[in-house]
Amino acid sequence: MADIFISYARSTARQARAVADALRREGYSVWNDDNLPTHRAYGEVIEEQLALAKAVVVIWSAEAVRSQWVRSEADRARGENKLVQLSVDGARLPMPFDQIQCADLSGPAMAHTHPNWAKVTASVADLMGAAAPAPSAPRRTSHAGGGGPLLAVLPFDNLSNDAEMEFFSDGVSEDIIQRLSRGAGLKVIGRTSSFQFRGGHKAEAAEALACTHVLDGSIRRAAGRVRVSAHLVDTRSRTTLWSDRFDRDIEDIFAVQDEISEQIAAALGHAFDLDAKAVDVGAYDLYLRATPQSDTPEEAQRCIALLELAVEKDPDFADAWARLADASAHHLLFEPYRGRPARAKVIRRHAERALKLDPEHPVALNALMSLEPPFGAFVEMESLAHRMMQARPVPQGIQGTGSAAVQFHLNVGRLREGLESAERWLKMDPLNRNAANGVGFYLCGVERYGEAAEIFDAIIADYDAAPFSWNALVTRAYMEDWEEFDRRMQPDWLAAHPLRELRGILPLLRVWRDPTPENLAALAQRVTTGSQAVGGIQPGTLAVTARAGLVDLAYELAERFPLGPQGNSRDIVGINAYRTELLFQAPYKALRDDPRFPTICARLGLVDYWMTSGAWPDCATEVPYDFKAACERAAAEVPKEPFWPS
């Protein structure tokens, strides 16, 4: 039984978690809907927890004022004299709650650091019937789960006057992360997150990453010599467990990395397999320069050219082979379909070369999964996804928008399972934009739009990728936040956040907003004409058309046209082309709720996958018909459609 029940609207999920964490530090047990079990009806669980709680903390916001759930929970708490109110945005409270004291916690400060936080804790303590318990020592949440050590390797400082050594100093830290991640006894935070902390911000790393240990250091180069200094700190006691200095010829830098890794292993009491071969210095420099700055095919081509030189210099450089395969697989998504199978064979050889050197290299596995067609090969994709889930996290330094393994669950309709996987990835690498994008996409899929919008907006603040920009825009349409949607449709926003190949979908969003007969007729004409010109229709277009209310048109077009590319110049290319992900997201339930939906799934190979694996999509228990029986009929009557154009 939890002492405190927290009620809030989705747009304030971040503040709600901060409130929950702060109350737990005060010694209370706290329940919110993050704790909902997957096997029970949520309404039943909420009723139970409301009844058991001694205090109900309601977090008011503009969205919460409009939420029937929040108002109902607040009314229940008011009737039982256990309501504690706080506001995070100064929204005017509805009657009769405006007649009850409410702590104003609006402003930039988080809950537990706000000057008015004491009012909340005093009210909670009063409802508990005793003074508030003495605060316990702050508890860290391990990203890895369990109580084992969690290490953050920070980017080593470049103390040389040579700016070129910045690549080299980052490379030292990155290589240590890669080596330690392959070990079995230690969890290491991903490069994406730990490399956010440089210079004066390094002091913030331990708290922000909730790690138990930090490795930091510096590199100084003079002529042909390099000095590497490193130290390992226990973040709880703030004591230095180990430190050392290495003076070497520049050619021996990777031997120095091996020594540092061995010393860290000894300090933490773990044994690691550190038999990785030293890498050619020139090849490593090329590898670092091939870190992508955007998801464009032009950027992928730049990286490919550098990585081809890297593997030529060092044919046993697994990371370079893996990234070469991944960048090439990403570029392939923008190439004509007829030439892809031949190019894929070459890319597959690159990935397999990396896997021969490092059998579970996550970037190489990601590349192989990207080579699979968007539909029709779900069994093969699941096998690769399983391997990726067992491997170390996919780093941010890849093309595209994230791990193909995390996206797999979305493509087969298992959104709840996918959200759990995406959140695990984000916990291991909390500042990785690819990981955050995966979580945001799944949050949209399960109708948690406010949380998703916060994530997408944070991503696009400093990174140019069309899918990220599209996610940030379309989420506002899901929320029916048309004022913000209009602002983002202005030329200045679109110039700063290009949609590129996704721009053609914008007319569909306009129809969602204003579904007049004229707009619907124009949409129907546009979709029909486009399908005729291409000779096919994407699965996602069917979902979007049905959401506009044109369900019969969507199924009529599905019957008339193939669901994949036709090998002509009008085929859709890009990261999301012909994928099945939109079929299963919450905003597109109109297509799923029609009993004809399983026939589309059978053509895509989804029914065959579900029946073979027994892993049915979430919608199997949500649609208003016997989904499994309809799938069995479709499997017997509808042939599977090949993806590749003949």
Side-chain angles (χ1 to χ4, degrees), residues 131-189:
S136 58
R139 292 183 292 176
R140 299 184 185 277
T141 302
S142 171
H143 296 295
L150 179 64
L151 174 67
V153 180
L154 303 184
F156 282 23
D157 294 323
N158 172 26
L159 303 182
S160 305
N161 293 326
D162 184 359
E164 292 295 312
M165 284 298 290
E166 194 73 35
F167 287 105
F168 208 82
S169 58
D170 280 2
V172 171
S173 303
E174 181 174 343
D175 194 61
I176 292 170
I177 292 173
Q178 292 286 342
R179 294 172 190 274
L180 294 181
S181 295
R182 295 168 191 156
L186 182 67
K187 296 292 185 182
V188 184
I189 290 174

Side-chain angles (χ1 to χ4, degrees), residues 32-107:
N32 63 13
D33 59 8
D34 283 345
N35 307 116
L36 277 169
T38 58
H39 65 286
R40 295 180 61 190
Y42 62 85
E44 174 186 316
V45 176
I46 288 174
E47 283 282 343
E48 178 183 289
Q49 294 297 328
L50 269 172
L52 293 173
K54 298 176 182 177
V56 176
V57 175
V58 175
I59 302 175
W60 289 110
S61 63
E63 184 183 354
V65 169
R66 297 191 299 269
S67 169
Q68 295 302 313
W69 278 102
V70 174
R71 294 176 70 154
S72 175
E73 291 161 0
D75 193 56
R76 170 78 172 268
R78 183 182 67 90
E80 297 178 7
N81 296 314
K82 55 183 182 182
L83 174 64
V84 178
Q85 302 188 124
L86 63 93
S87 172
V88 294
D89 63 3
R92 182 175 180 179
L93 273 57
M95 296 179 61
F97 307 107
D98 58 348
Q99 305 300 310
I100 303 171
Q101 178 65 32
C102 178
D104 182 6
L105 270 63
S106 58

